[in-house]
Amino acid sequence: MLQSPEWAQSARMSDFLRFVVEQTLQGKSDQLKQTVIGVAVFGREPDYDPRVDPVVRVEARRLRAKLQEYYAGSGAADPIRIELPKGAYQPQFVRTPDTPVPEAHSTQPQPGPWIPTAVVLAIAVTVVGVMLFFFKRHPPIPASPPRLLTDRQAYSRSPRFSPDGNRIVFSQESSGSASHILIAPAAGGEPVPFTSGAVRDYFPEWSPDGRRIAFFREIDALTYSILLRDSAEQPLLTGVNEPGPIAFSRDGQTLYFADRPDPAAPSAIYSVSLHSGQRQAVSNPPAGILGDAYPQVSPDGSTIAFLRRIEAGVQDIYTQPLHRGAPRQISREQADFQGICWTADGHGILAAFARGESVPSLWRFSTDTPAEPARVAEAGIGPLSPAVSPTGNRLAFVVRIADTNIWRAIPQPAAESRQLTSSAALDTSPQISPDGKQMVWRSASTGPNEIWIASAIDGSGARRLTSMRGPVTGSPRWSPDGKHIVFESRRNARGSLFTLHTESGASPRELTHGQSNDILPSWSHNNRDVYFASDRSGQWQVWRMSSDGQAPQQITQNGGFAAFESYDGKTVYYSKQSGGIWKTSRNGGAETLVTSDLAPNYWGQFALAERALYFVTFSASERAIRRLDLATGEVRDARSLTRMPVQWDSGMSVSRDETSVLWSQLDAGASDIYVVDGIH
């Protein structure tokens, strides 16, 4: 058509027609607006005002006249006509009345004309040349900048698109309220509540027909139920202990979720029938790992993707056919993934994680062929929980602010505190040097978690000590002579212990090897031994080994995690993941509860001075660092807390003489949902 005399001498009209036709054939007719056409076809700046510069409206009238001219001349016999209705820029394709509809093709091979290979190649080269010429002059319309969907005043999480891509369901929790489910227009607008917020609801997912939403509801601190809701709530499954993303089968009759019915076994992906309530295992992770989580069903319904977790912060993406077939590893990153989803075409998986030493980003993995992942630049820095609309033209993700910093104070209730770190990233696990003049800590201020050291207790003279480039490196502890630190790193998937001379510049020396996880180290006061937590016996226990690598000795028998030796070298104080602080002798034996006031989520927020034990308590009624006298057992508040201490991490240190206490706390926290329109 564009080679005819009517169009050959009108390059601008040809470009205009080619653009609107190809955009429509690619399913992007909803993007054909004056501003888009003005930029893509007529070279206007992105911020031009079509009310002041009506070039598109003027040229559209000329285009309609040119179409009439063509169909009155060279295009009179065309079987399909292109029309541009008045007041619109979306072309319509109309079959001429006397054109017969083609019959269905026969399945039998039909004889046809023989075309020389040289002619076929010539046609192919010509087509490619024309395409390159067009896209060089008119590159694809870029996606919109990310726009804020939520209000920046709460924790908004887990966005999921409705089947038509026009709405987003998500959970939200604000200060003083339980997590509840809301629905917002994907194009922007006020969210409306879907659940009341009287109880805690998480991880919503839309059914394929758009009529129901499934979600998790908290029953107690360790138990959850899966519910379905349309006009009324319907409990589907109770007794799930690992809440997370839910996925529907494409027929809407089955839900997929992760669970760990046996606490000693890895978590796995399960299915539950909406009709019978029967559940069955879908994945079969190997023993000795954390297990499988985050199920996502492919657009065609044939395959499920999930994250296989070797250890905390060490994961990779796997896919598995839903009807017979072995799992296939898609990524080989051993990274801390923060969410995955399928692309709308089913040929890729988007994953949020920090690759190597880069900042967290969104990456696309091909599920068809092995290849390096490609970064999705439109998602910016730090995206979590990605979701793609079924129509494929919208991307949603979460951006979280979690600014944790290290603080210092004299342990007195009214003493003034001072902030020692100020990066917007994670800073935690502080430890005061034996002479009280320096500190080491874990920081993600340069991307991956690494060990940092400050030449003064006020945080000045800070420099990075390690370059482990692993998914998790942390928990540094000083040797009593102040010359070495011991720390943990999951550089090789499993947690291992390393020692490092703080001044020599030598590379870290690995202390532990093998398939167990060895973490949370601390030194004995004879400067020769290292305590640590290990799962080598099948359960987390406290162990001790010499720093020259001799065989370790198990200290606890009934569970143990973070451990510190008393200054006289006779007693080991330790926490458990289930909560509380306990003690036993240096070589094991009777295990005695010291206090039950340390909550499970704060297992790392305790520290040992010569005469006292410090720990945090943080609830609606009590928010303080408390001091427990080791001789008398008396407990008092050492200082008040206004912000939440860091959870599920080591986070406190106290000097031997109790003149300084360091702790890590969350100074700013929120998460919002962003949407990108016109994603490719």
Side-chain angles (χ1 to χ4, degrees):
M1 177 177 178
L2 296 183
Q3 292 175 353
S4 67
E6 289 85 350
W7 298 93
Q9 301 302 315
S10 182
R12 173 172 283 193
M13 288 295 96
S14 296
D15 292 346
F16 195 172
L17 181 63
R18 186 195 301 272
F19 181 79
V20 297
V21 167
E22 294 198 356
Q23 290 291 299
T24 301
L25 293 178
Q26 293 172 15
K28 302 174 183 177
S29 60
D30 60 336
Q31 300 179 22
L32 290 174
K33 302 174 183 178
Q34 287 190 63
T35 51
V36 173
I37 298 171
V39 172
V41 178
F42 301 105
R44 297 304 193 260
E45 295 297 326
D47 58 351
Y48 96 102
D49 188 346
R51 294 172 298 182
V52 177
D53 182 359
V55 60
V56 177
R57 295 197 301 274
V58 172
E59 295 299 327
R61 289 196 293 269
R62 293 184 57 211
L63 179 58
R64 295 185 187 98
K66 178 64 70 174
L67 286 167
Q68 291 179 356
E69 176 188 352
Y70 169 73
Y71 289 119
S74 302
D78 285 5
I80 295 177
R81 295 193 176 196
I82 302 173
E83 296 180 358
L84 194 68
K86 290 184 178 181
Y89 305 104
Q90 293 84 14
Q92 296 179 356
F93 309 102
V94 181
R95 188 179 301 280
T96 54
D98 56 350
T99 303
V101 178
E103 295 181 357
H105 293 292
S106 169
T107 59
Q108 298 297 320
Q110 302 292 324
W114 176 77
I115 304 176
T117 301
V119 175
V120 174
L121 290 175
I123 294 172
V125 170
T126 302
V127 171
V128 171
V130 171
M131 291 175 66
L132 290 174
F133 172 78
F134 173 75
F135 283 105
K136 183 177 180 180
R137 295 187 63 190
H138 305 297
I141 301 173
S144 72
R147 55 181 173 80
L148 186 63
L149 185 80
T150 51
D151 61 7
R152 298 176 183 264
Q153 301 298 318
Y155 286 94
S156 299
R157 306 180 178 99
S158 308
R160 290 294 183 268
F161 283 96
S162 60
D164 61 7
N166 292 329
R167 292 178 293 167
I168 292 178
V169 64
F170 59 97
S171 67
Q172 187 177 83
E173 182 175 357
S174 57
S175 177
S177 70
S179 176
H180 59 297
I181 309 298
L182 296 97
I183 298 175
E190 191 67 22
V192 296
F194 182 73
T195 61
S196 66
V199 289
R200 295 180 181 273
D201 297 327
Y202 303 93
F203 300 109
E205 180 62 273
W206 233 300
S207 65
D209 60 9
R211 297 178 180 178
R212 293 180 288 185
I213 291 174
F215 57 93
F216 269 102
R217 173 163 292 171
E218 182 182 277
I219 304 303
D220 55 45
L222 298 174
T223 311
Y224 298 80
S225 293
I226 298 177
L227 287 84
L228 290 171
R229 180 178 170 185
D230 39 29
S231 58
E233 289 183 353
Q234 171 193 347
L236 178 64
L237 191 66
T238 59
V240 181
N241 55 32
E242 282 212 1
I246 302 170
F248 272 94
S249 61
R250 286 298 164 250
D251 62 6
Q253 303 306 307
T254 304
L255 275 175
Y256 298 92
F257 62 99
D259 194 18
R260 190 194 302 268
D262 180 358
S267 63
I269 307 300
Y270 290 82
S271 67
V272 58
S273 167
L274 271 60
H275 291 296
S276 66
Q278 182 180 0
R279 59 180 280 171
Q280 62 181 26
V282 175
S283 71
N284 184 27
I289 69 171
L290 282 184
D292 300 337
Y294 217 111
Q296 297 286 286
V297 175
S298 62
D300 65 4
S302 67
T303 308
I304 193 165
F306 55 87
L307 292 174
R308 177 153 287 177
R309 303 172 297 169
I310 306 303
E311 184 47 58
V314 184
Q315 310 163 12
D316 268 304
I317 305 168
Y318 283 71
T319 61
Q320 179 177 307
L322 283 172
H323 303 289
R324 296 197 203 94
R328 180 167 69 97
Q329 188 170 352
I330 300 299
S331 71
R332 299 187 181 277
E333 303 290 332
Q334 293 189 347
D336 188 9
F337 286 88
Q338 298 293 315
I340 59 173
C341 70
W342 288 88
T343 57
D345 61 8
H347 295 291
I349 291 174
L350 300 185
F353 70 107
R355 191 162 195 249
E357 292 191 272
S358 68
V359 296
S361 302
L362 192 63
W363 299 81
R364 183 187 188 278
F365 290 86
S366 171
T367 56
D368 298 331
T369 57
E372 287 290 298
R375 184 171 179 266
V376 182
E378 292 88 344
I381 295 173
L384 313 171
S385 306
V388 172
S389 64
T391 52
N393 64 333
R394 276 182 171 139
L395 168 69
F397 54 87
V398 174
V399 174
R400 179 177 62 204
I401 297 173
D403 182 15
T404 60
N405 292 297
I406 296 170
W407 289 73
R408 176 195 177 200
I410 299 171
Q412 297 176 3
E416 182 180 354
S417 58
R418 179 177 179 181
Q419 184 176 337
L420 303 184
T421 61
S422 58
S423 74
L426 176 144
D427 288 297
T428 185
S429 303
Q431 281 290 298
I432 302 172
S433 61
D435 61 8
K437 297 180 179 180
Q438 296 177 281
M439 72 170 186
V440 289
W441 73 100
R442 166 189 174 191
S443 179
S445 57
T446 56
N449 289 197
E450 299 289 357
I451 307 301
W452 284 64
I453 186 171
S455 57
I457 193 65
D458 62 3
S460 61
R463 60 186 174 89
R464 193 173 75 174
L465 270 182
T466 65
S467 296
M468 303 300 287
R469 302 181 181 89
V472 179
T473 296
S475 301
R477 302 287 184 262
W478 291 93
S479 61
D481 62 8
K483 296 180 180 180
H484 295 81
I485 62 167
V486 61
F487 63 94
E488 66 178 70
S489 181
R490 294 182 176 90
R491 184 176 62 178
N492 299 316
R494 301 288 184 170
S496 297
L497 305 184
F498 295 80
T499 59
L500 178 67
H501 195 285
T502 58
E503 300 297 337
S504 69
S507 298
R509 179 173 63 89
E510 191 167 5
L511 281 182
T512 59
H513 310 269
Q515 293 302 306
S516 63
N517 285 289
D518 303 321
I519 59 176
L520 301 173
S522 66
W523 291 87
S524 66
H525 286 281
N526 63 14
N527 212 69
R528 295 192 301 268
D529 299 330
V530 172
Y531 293 91
F532 60 99
S534 178
D535 62 359
R536 62 185 61 203
S537 66
Q539 181 187 17
W540 287 108
Q541 303 285 358
V542 175
W543 293 68
R544 187 181 68 242
M545 66 181 296
S546 64
S547 59
D548 59 10
Q550 292 182 6
Q553 171 190 354
Q554 185 173 337
I555 304 301
T556 62
Q557 303 297 324
N558 300 306
F561 213 45
F564 295 93
E565 187 182 87
S566 61
Y567 278 83
D568 62 11
K570 297 178 180 180
T571 307
V572 178
Y573 292 84
Y574 59 96
S575 62
K576 295 185 180 184
Q577 288 181 305
S578 57
I581 300 175
W582 301 67
K583 69 177 180 179
T584 188
S585 70
R586 186 180 189 277
N587 293 313
E591 301 175 8
T592 306
L593 178 65
V594 177
T595 176
S596 59
D597 290 342
L598 185 69
N601 51 321
Y602 293 125
W603 55 256
Q605 289 280 11
F606 83 100
L608 199 62
E610 186 169 11
R611 296 182 176 87
L613 182 70
Y614 286 76
F615 62 94
V616 304
T617 177
F618 197 84
S619 64
S621 58
E622 294 182 301
R623 298 186 173 189
I625 296 176
R626 314 198 77 184
R627 180 187 187 273
L628 186 152
D629 190 291
L630 294 177
T632 66
E634 178 190 3
V635 178
R636 64 172 175 83
D637 287 355
R639 67 161 297 103
S640 60
L641 292 173
T642 57
R643 298 188 183 276
M644 179 185 293
V646 169
Q647 304 179 78
W648 313 112
D649 195 359
S650 50
M652 182 180 286
S653 179
V654 63
S655 60
R656 181 173 184 168
D657 60 3
E658 302 180 57
T659 57
S660 291
V661 60
L662 306 184
W663 73 95
S664 54
Q665 68 182 28
L666 179 65
D667 287 323
S671 58
D672 281 300
I673 297 171
Y674 288 79
V675 176
V676 176
D677 297 310
I679 196 76
H680 299 292

